[in-house]
């Protein structure tokens, strides 16, 4: 639906003759196109702005290799910076779940994919790391939320905390902790109700859950199709709850995934996983280069820039 | 009194940014801002004045699409509800059913999401809340077959409305979109005019992908109107302006919470003021 960056830049750079280095003017012209590409990919405005500034600095005066056009050179610089911002320091696939039973808290807006992702992570921990996992639903709001997690638990062969109607989320978290200790579980995952980041009451509730559970990981589950609101969600959840990582869902869609950049830039926390479907094994470790290409609307960019 | 500033390029750029930050998309933001500024360049205005003009321009674009769900003299009137995963389809059906019931209509709901875990149980709770029967089929069964049975039942009962829930699906999944097309084909065996409404439910937090959602769902399922949910959050849903521009589909209602009464008519002026940040 939108032009990718290469198409945008080819128009701009056709008018330029090949020179030895990118001039300030070239870069400024190019950055206008990069800005639009980022915004069309749903990167949040303040994040796009900062990103452009950083790239502008790196690109000005950069030598243009003979084998590539100035446009390709700019794309490479943009791409490299994207990968740089998107990458965390550690292996995203390794959650901090030593000291059994390790609590993992799942939080996010309504309908983002928390319950599904909770089960996907449980399955992964069980199958890949041989962990004994317990899942508990703290969602007392959404109709049949607890049943949903219980059904998924049965599907993947992972235990769920027995449902006790009328209990509040903090009480359920305490019960999960006790059960996880007594039952010899390595990890227990706490799935919470969806909440708006400006809903004081519900944000206070999940903060109270955090205080009793002391999670080793608090994962913010975010819809990969999220637009400009990514900034607000990331800021508020991180400020109020303190997240340790992000999971991006619905990356099997045709969205450009700009929310990934926003999340990283705002929280500084690693993106751990991406959700790639509704099935229980549709969860992959986050790969910065793949998302970078996608944000730019160029899946095949890696091959292109390797020549540069 | 508020300070006044000239409506110059710098000002226009910051207004564009304001709209972009509300998910309007670059092209639409530029167009809306330019239309607002026409004939006003250089004029001295306060921030509130300028935002008021911008809101008026947005409201002007949105006015023609602000239309409630049309009611036809059909028994049953079939309302098919579609959309990507987690957008709020099931919740919206519960809210709509409750509104129609309150308006004196007899309503039947079909639990056409036979895929997602506990989707049926979720809808059953909504049925109870709204006081409306929910027809179900076992998990994994064919949603088109359920839709057909539901048509038979709604006809026999003389129901005014049949609302059909469907599983969430991403628009780039051709197989799942075909499943939707099949539901429509099967319903038409019973009534060639059905479904009389096909509502696409959009999540306000969604960015520019909403354009692709509307395009594909319209192609595959003949979408006749939109509902946008989660406008009680911090997302402004500005992409609706781009959608109104491109597709002109009616916006029937907006979701503003998780409770049964949290569904409101779409009000262009309120919406426009929220987009530009005026209260
Ligand atoms: N296509 C796709 N669908 C997903 C993915 N992750 C979750 N879903 C679907 O998104 C919808 C919502 O997922 P849930 O796990 O119920 O979301 P949630 O955050 O727990 O929702 P609430 O508890 O209501 O806040 C369901 O239809 C899931 O099947 C994904 O990666 N890709
Ligand atoms: N804040 C808010 N939450 C909403 C609104 N509408 C729906 N929700 C919540 O969003 C989540 C998903 O809603 P559902 O109705 O299950 O969405 P769905 O489209 O049926 O989801 P799938 O069937 O899994 O594709 C639930 O937690 C709802 O309570 C709304 O207008 N505002
Ligand atoms: Mg859930
Ligand atoms: Mg549903």
């Amino acid at each position: 639906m939108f032009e990718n960056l290469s198409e945008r830049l080819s128009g701009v750079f056709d008018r330029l003759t090949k020179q030895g280095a990118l001039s300030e003017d070239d870069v400024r012209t190019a950055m206008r196109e990069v800005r639009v590409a980022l915004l069309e990919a749903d990167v949040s405005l303040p994040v796009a702005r900062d990103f452009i500034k950083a790239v502008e600095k790196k690109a000005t005066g950069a030598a243009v290799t003979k084998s590539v056009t100035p446009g390709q050179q700019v794309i490479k610089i943009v791409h490299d910076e994207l990968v740089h911002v998107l990458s965390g320091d550690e292996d995203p696939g390794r959650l901090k779940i030593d000291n059994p039973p390790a609590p993992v808290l799942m939080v996010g807006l309504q309908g983002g994919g928390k319950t599904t992702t909770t089960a996907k992570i449980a399955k992964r921990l069980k199958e890949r790391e041989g962990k004994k996992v317990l899942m508990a639903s703290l969602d007392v709001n959404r109709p049949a939320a607890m049943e949903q997690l219980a059904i998924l638990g049965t599907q993947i062969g992972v235990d769920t905390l027995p449902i006790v109607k009328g209990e509040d989320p903090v009480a359920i978290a305490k019960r999960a902790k006790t059960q996880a200790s007594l039952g010899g579980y390595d990890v227990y995952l706490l799935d919470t109700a969806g909440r708006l980041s400006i809903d004081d009451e519900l944000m206070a509730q999940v903060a109270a859950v955090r205080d009793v559970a002391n999670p080793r990981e608090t994962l913010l589950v975010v819809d990969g199709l999220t637009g400009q609101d990514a900034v607000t969600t990331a800021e508020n959840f991180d400020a109020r709850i303190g997240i340790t990582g992000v999971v991006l869902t619905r990356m099997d869609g045709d969205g450009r995934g700009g929310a990934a950049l926003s999340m990283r830039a705002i929280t500084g926390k690693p993106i751990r996983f991406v959700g790639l479907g509704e099935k229980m094994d549709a969860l992959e470790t986050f790969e910065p280069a793949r998302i970078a290409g996608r944000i730019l609307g160029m899946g095949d960019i890696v091959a292109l820039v390797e020549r540069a | 009194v508020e300070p006044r500033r000239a409506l110059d390029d710098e000002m226009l750029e910051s207004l564009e940014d304001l709209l972009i930050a509300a998910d309007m998309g670059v092209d639409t933001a530029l167009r809306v801002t330019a239309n607002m500024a026409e004939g006003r360049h250089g004029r001295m205005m306060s921030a509130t004045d300028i935002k008021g003009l911008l809101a008026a321009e947005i409201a002007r674009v949105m006015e023609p699409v602000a239309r409630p769900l049309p009611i036809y003299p059909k028994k049953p009137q079939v309302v098919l509800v579609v959309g990507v995963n987690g957008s709020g389809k099931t919740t919206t059906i519960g809210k709509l059913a409750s509104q129609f019931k309150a308006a004196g209509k007899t309503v039947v709901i079909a639990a056409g999401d036979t895929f997602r875990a506990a989707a049926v149980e979720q809808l059953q709770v909504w049925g109870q809340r709204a006081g409306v029967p929910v027809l179900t089929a076992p998990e994994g069964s064919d949603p088109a077959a359920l839709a057909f049975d539901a048509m038979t039942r709604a006809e026999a009962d003389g129901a005014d409305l049949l609302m059909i829930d469907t599983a969430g699906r991403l628009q780039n999944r051709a197989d799942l979109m075909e499943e939707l097309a099949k539901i429509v084909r099967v319903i038409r065996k019973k009534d060639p005019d059905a479904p009389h409404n096909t509502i696409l439910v959009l999540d306000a937090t969604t960015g520019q992908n909403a354009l692709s959602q509307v395009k594909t769902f319209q192609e595959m399922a003949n979408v006749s109107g939109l509902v946008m949910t989660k406008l009680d959050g911090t997302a402004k849903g500005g992409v609706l302006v781009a959608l109104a521009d491109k597709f002109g589909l009616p916006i029937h209602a907006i979701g503003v919470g998780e409770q049964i009464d949290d569904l409101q008519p779409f009000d262009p002026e309120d919406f426009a003021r929220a987009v530009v940040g005026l209260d």
Side-chain angles (χ1 to χ4, degrees):
Chain A
M1 192 151 271
F2 298 111
E3 261 184 314
N4 72 29
L5 185 60
S6 164
E7 285 157 0
R8 290 192 168 282
L9 288 179
S10 68
V12 171
F13 282 105
D14 278 351
R15 279 174 272 125
L16 304 174
T17 47
K18 269 200 188 181
Q19 302 146 319
L22 294 168
S23 76
E24 219 169 285
D25 268 0
D26 296 347
V27 171
R28 205 165 309 122
T29 313
M31 287 308 129
R32 271 200 288 275
E33 300 300 320
V34 175
R35 177 177 179 273
V36 175
L38 293 177
L39 292 173
E40 281 179 349
D42 286 325
V43 173
S44 294
L45 189 61
V47 173
R49 226 180 251 146
D50 290 348
F51 181 84
I52 295 290
K53 257 190 223 136
V55 177
E56 213 160 25
K57 248 191 226 141
K58 291 191 179 164
T60 307
V64 179
T65 334
K66 290 232 167 55
S67 58
V68 297
T69 66
Q72 287 171 331
Q73 186 74 17
V74 170
I75 289 169
K76 177 176 164 48
I77 295 168
V78 171
H79 179 266
D80 289 354
E81 181 64 14
L82 266 178
V83 172
H84 171 72
V85 178
L86 287 169
S87 306
D89 303 327
E90 351 138 33
D91 175 1
R94 292 222 148 255
L95 296 173
K96 291 192 200 68
I97 42 164
D98 38 349
N99 298 345
V104 175
L105 181 63
M106 310 291 288
V107 299
L109 300 177
Q110 285 93 348
K114 294 172 295 301
T115 305
T116 309
T117 305
T118 301
K120 286 177 179 177
I121 291 178
K123 182 170 193 278
R124 186 184 162 105
L125 291 175
K126 174 188 165 213
E127 289 175 1
R128 296 208 189 178
E129 301 186 30
K131 301 283 186 194
K132 187 173 174 195
V133 184
L134 176 70
M135 304 191 292
S137 169
L138 278 52
D139 187 347
V140 297
N141 293 357
R142 170 171 169 173
M146 296 189 164
E147 289 76 6
Q148 184 187 359
L149 190 68
I151 291 170
L152 295 176
T154 310
Q155 280 176 15
I156 60 175
V158 165
D159 294 340
T160 46
L161 190 72
I163 297 172
V164 177
K165 293 280 172 196
E167 234 177 6
D168 68 56
V170 171
I172 302 170
K174 284 182 183 156
R175 189 157 58 86
K177 189 177 185 173
T178 309
Q179 170 104 4
S181 304
L182 296 178
Y185 290 92
D186 299 309
V187 186
Y188 64 104
L189 296 158
L190 302 175
D191 176 28
T192 62
R195 66 201 73 228
L196 298 172
S197 71
I198 49 165
D199 186 327
D200 266 334
E201 200 182 320
L202 289 185
M203 290 302 274
Q205 180 196 72
V206 74
V209 166
R210 174 204 58 199
D211 293 342
V212 302
N214 256 316
R216 295 286 286 136
E217 294 272 4
T218 300
L219 301 178
L220 177 62
V221 180
V222 183
D223 184 343
L225 307 175
T226 303
Q228 296 291 320
D229 192 53
V231 188
T232 318
T233 300
E235 272 172 357
N236 291 353
F237 272 94
D238 197 27
R240 195 79 185 258
I241 322 293
I243 64 166
T244 61
V246 175
V247 181
L248 284 177
T249 62
R250 288 184 207 127
M251 294 300 278
D252 46 327
D254 59 6
R256 295 268 291 272
L261 187 69
S262 306
M263 286 289 147
R264 270 294 294 167
I266 299 286
T267 67
K269 304 291 159 42
I271 298 172
R272 295 289 196 175
F273 301 108
V274 296
L276 290 168
E278 299 187 71
K279 301 250 168 69
M280 285 297 107
D281 48 11
L283 185 78
E284 286 183 9
T285 309
F286 178 67
E287 282 181 44
R290 274 176 73 175
I291 306 294
R294 184 163 170 166
I295 290 175
L296 299 177
M298 314 167 76
D300 55 349
I301 186 161
V302 181
L304 173 82
V305 297
E306 256 153 24
R307 282 192 284 121
Chain B
V1 282
E2 256 190 289
R4 288 161 170 267
R5 283 198 42 184
L7 186 60
D8 54 14
D9 285 353
E10 196 187 326
M11 171 67 80
L12 288 180
E13 219 164 280
S14 71
L15 293 172
E16 283 160 20
D17 283 356
L18 180 78
L19 300 183
I20 289 168
D23 283 316
M24 201 176 282
V26 178
D27 284 352
T28 311
L30 257 61
R31 190 142 14 92
V32 166
T33 314
N35 286 348
M36 181 278 292
E38 208 178 308
R40 297 196 171 95
H41 281 274
R43 208 177 281 184
M44 300 295 288
M45 280 187 274
S46 73
T48 310
D49 291 343
I50 295 179
K51 284 184 177 176
L53 287 171
L54 206 52
E57 172 61 21
I58 295 168
R60 189 188 63 76
V61 178
M62 302 311 286
E63 205 70 57
V65 295
R67 295 210 301 273
L69 189 79
I71 296 297
Y72 303 107
K74 270 281 182 183
K75 271 190 178 210
Q77 175 172 340
V78 181
V79 181
L80 183 67
V81 179
V82 302
V84 301
N85 310 84
S87 63
K89 297 173 291 300
T90 304
T91 308
T92 301
I93 286 182
K95 294 171 177 176
L96 279 172
S98 163
Q99 286 193 355
F100 286 126
K101 179 101 192 291
K105 306 266 178 207
T106 51
V107 184
V108 174
I109 299 176
D113 182 354
T114 56
F115 176 77
R116 210 206 65 216
V120 172
E121 290 84 344
Q122 182 191 6
L123 192 56
Q124 279 171 327
V125 173
W126 278 110
Q128 277 158 21
R129 289 179 181 174
V132 161
V134 177
L135 306 179
T136 65
E139 199 175 312
S141 58
D142 180 6
L146 172 72
F148 189 84
D149 292 347
M151 286 288 286
T152 313
R153 163 82 184 272
E155 277 170 1
D157 288 2
D160 296 313
L161 279 149
L162 168 63
M163 308 199 63
I164 304 177
D165 192 13
T166 59
R169 67 200 75 226
L170 294 174
Q171 72 277 14
N172 60 334
R173 282 287 300 272
D175 54 339
L176 298 181
M177 295 308 286
E178 174 48 35
E179 181 189 86
L180 211 51
K182 183 180 168 194
I183 294 174
V184 172
R185 279 200 303 275
V186 168
I187 295 172
R188 285 191 181 146
K189 284 188 190 157
K190 281 270 180 191
D191 178 351
D193 297 331
H196 305 88
N197 314 88
T198 299
I199 301 178
L200 174 64
V201 177
L202 299 170
D203 181 332
T205 52
T206 305
Q208 301 307 299
N209 191 249
L211 291 157
S212 152
Q213 291 177 19
V214 173
K215 181 172 182 284
T216 310
F217 273 99
Q218 195 179 23
E219 278 164 14
M220 296 300 291
N222 260 317
V223 171
S224 61
L226 309 174
V227 169
M228 178 166 270
T229 63
K230 309 183 196 176
L231 274 170
D232 48 325
T234 43
K236 300 275 176 61
V239 74
L240 280 179
V241 182
L243 291 172
D245 228 26
K246 266 207 171 69
F247 300 95
L249 283 167
I251 303 168
H252 296 317
I254 57 167
V256 291
E258 299 187 78
Q259 306 307 316
I260 200 159
D261 294 327
D262 293 331
L263 188 77
Q264 297 174 354
F266 176 74
D267 182 317
E269 255 136 58
D270 288 351
F271 170 79
R273 292 176 71 79
V275 164
V276 302
L278 281 174
D279 307 296

